[in-house]
């Protein structure tokens, strides 16, 4: 394996049949990814994230009703929504609009959000102890203009074997800047190591509930021939910590599709010095 400038080249150990199978699976994954991003309540539909702390009068831009944080309804509190029938806010799929009050907790996904306004879904979320309401509109300008996701071509050389070493005492929290310009804590569970161009690299990785890993990283293509940073979801480590690191499936973060997401930037140490010419590059518009 050699490094030429900042570009990594490597000898492939896969057979032609293996390469064709991997490429086909990657194409199918790309199709599913496109469908998910362009779904009616996918990331392209987000038109606003409104933090209740920024609106002490309870009035949110372009959203009827009165929305305030409440200390009741559990240890994390909730959001108290007060609305009149003429506001047109429907709760839990009821055909008649809400006329009164409802205490709301955090929603799971936009499609299952409890509050709707016509085709729009108003998702209640909680981050860093603060409550917010996100407005998902399937008729958003971004969704109408979406023309696909540009990606580097599939290359088996970017599939690497890695090793995950969890921290000895659970997760750690590192402070990183977010896409909205604010600094927040990012939970990381251990270090993911692998080799590129004969050089060893280590990235801080978070852990999902199913044991799979999550990484936010930058590289020499970031902000040049790809978006400024990307996400990567390696496989679940085996009992020895071995994991498949497939950069062909590096993802654009949600904030690449809508400005109202608060994606975390890569933590210190998660900027690779090589050009990772694999994975998604940019969101395309018509």
């Amino acid at each position: 394996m050699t490094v030429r400038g900042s570009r990594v080249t490597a000898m492939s150990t896969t057979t032609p049949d293996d390469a064709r199978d991997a490429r086909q699976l990657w194409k199918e994954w790309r199709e599913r990814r496109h469908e998910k991003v362009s779904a009616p309540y996918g990331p392209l539909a987000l038109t606003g994230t409104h933090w209740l702390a920024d609106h002490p009068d309870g009035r949110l831009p372009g959203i009827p009703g009165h929305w305030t944080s409440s200390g009741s309804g559990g240890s994390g509190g909730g959001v108290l929504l007060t609305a009149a029938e003429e506001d047109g806010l429907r709760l839990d799929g009821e055909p008649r609009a809400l006329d009164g009050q409802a205490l709301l907790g955090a929603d799971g996904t936009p499609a299952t959000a409890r509050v709707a306004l016509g085709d729009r879904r108003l998702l209640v979320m909680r981050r860093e102890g603060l409550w917010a309401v996100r407005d998902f509109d399937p008729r958003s300008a971004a969704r109408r203009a979406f023309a696909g996701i540009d990606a580097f071509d599939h290359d088996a050389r970017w599939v690497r074997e890695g090793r995950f070493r969890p921290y000895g005492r659970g997760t750690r929290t590192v402070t990183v800047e977010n896409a909205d310009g604010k600094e927040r804590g990012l939970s990381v569970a251990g270090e993911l190591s692998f080799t590129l161009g004969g050089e060893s690299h280590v990235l801080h990785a978070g852990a999902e509930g199913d044991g799979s890993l999550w990484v936010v990283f930058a590289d020499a293509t970031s902000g040049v021939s790809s978006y400024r940073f990307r996400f990567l979801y390696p496989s679940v480590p085996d009992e020895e910590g071995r994991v498949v690191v497939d950069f062909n499936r590096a993802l654009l973060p949600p904030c690449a599709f809508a400005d109202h997401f608060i994606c975390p930037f890569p933590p210190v140490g998660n900027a690779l010095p090589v050009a990772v010419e694999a994975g998604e590059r940019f969101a395309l518009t018509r």
Side-chain angles (χ1 to χ4, degrees):
M1 186 181 292
T2 59
V3 177
R4 297 175 181 173
S6 62
R7 298 187 179 186
V8 176
T9 61
M11 295 298 293
S12 176
T13 59
T14 59
T15 67
D17 286 343
D18 289 339
R20 281 194 295 270
D21 291 345
R23 183 178 179 82
Q24 180 59 36
L25 290 173
W26 175 76
K27 287 183 176 180
E28 294 170 1
W29 171 81
R30 289 259 293 149
E31 292 173 359
R32 293 193 300 271
R33 168 72 170 158
H34 184 281
E35 292 174 357
K36 184 175 181 179
V37 168
S38 61
Y41 301 106
L44 290 163
L46 182 64
T47 60
T49 296
H50 309 290
W51 297 96
L52 300 193
D54 295 334
H55 304 280
D57 62 353
R59 301 296 180 181
L60 306 183
I63 299 177
H66 188 263
W67 304 74
T68 57
S69 299
S70 172
S72 61
S75 60
V79 172
L80 183 64
L81 169 61
T82 305
E85 188 172 355
E86 56 266 28
D87 290 327
L89 296 171
R90 291 183 293 110
L91 182 68
D92 298 330
E94 292 291 332
R96 187 172 180 177
L98 175 67
D99 188 7
Q101 292 185 329
L103 183 62
L104 308 171
D107 291 310
T109 65
T112 59
R114 295 185 62 193
V115 181
L117 179 61
D119 292 336
R120 291 155 63 185
R121 296 293 182 269
L122 305 177
L123 179 143
V124 175
M125 58 175 277
R126 182 178 173 85
R127 296 280 179 85
E128 300 293 315
L130 299 175
W131 289 96
V133 175
R134 277 183 164 165
D135 188 352
F136 285 85
D137 186 350
R139 294 171 294 179
S140 70
R143 187 165 180 258
R144 294 197 306 269
F146 181 62
I149 302 174
D150 186 30
F152 294 101
D153 197 17
H154 183 274
D155 191 332
R157 296 176 299 178
W158 290 107
V159 182
R160 314 300 304 168
E161 181 178 308
R163 188 172 295 273
F164 177 67
R165 295 178 175 83
Y167 297 128
R169 296 184 178 180
T171 61
R172 301 177 183 177
T173 299
V174 295
T175 301
V176 298
E177 185 178 357
N178 283 235
D180 62 353
K182 297 182 179 180
E183 291 189 344
R184 296 183 177 88
L186 177 68
S187 177
V188 290
E191 295 181 344
L192 177 64
S193 61
F194 52 89
T195 61
L196 290 174
E199 297 290 334
S200 297
H201 300 279
V202 177
L203 296 175
H204 302 286
E208 299 290 318
D210 63 358
S212 61
L213 305 180
W214 175 79
V215 177
V216 53
F217 76 98
D219 65 278
T221 72
S222 299
V224 182
S225 58
S226 71
Y227 192 71
R228 51 185 173 171
F229 61 95
R230 292 179 285 173
F231 290 173
L232 187 65
Y233 292 87
S235 62
V236 176
D238 67 12
E239 294 180 354
E240 297 180 6
R242 292 175 299 190
V243 61
V244 176
V245 183
D246 187 356
F247 284 102
N248 291 294
R249 301 196 182 197
L251 300 174
L252 293 176
C255 54
F257 302 102
D259 294 333
H260 306 285
F261 283 103
I262 52 173
C263 303
F265 288 1
V268 174
N270 275 28
L272 297 171
V274 298
V276 179
E277 295 179 329
E280 296 179 348
R281 302 175 63 194
F282 300 106
L284 301 177
T285 57
R286 296 182 179 90

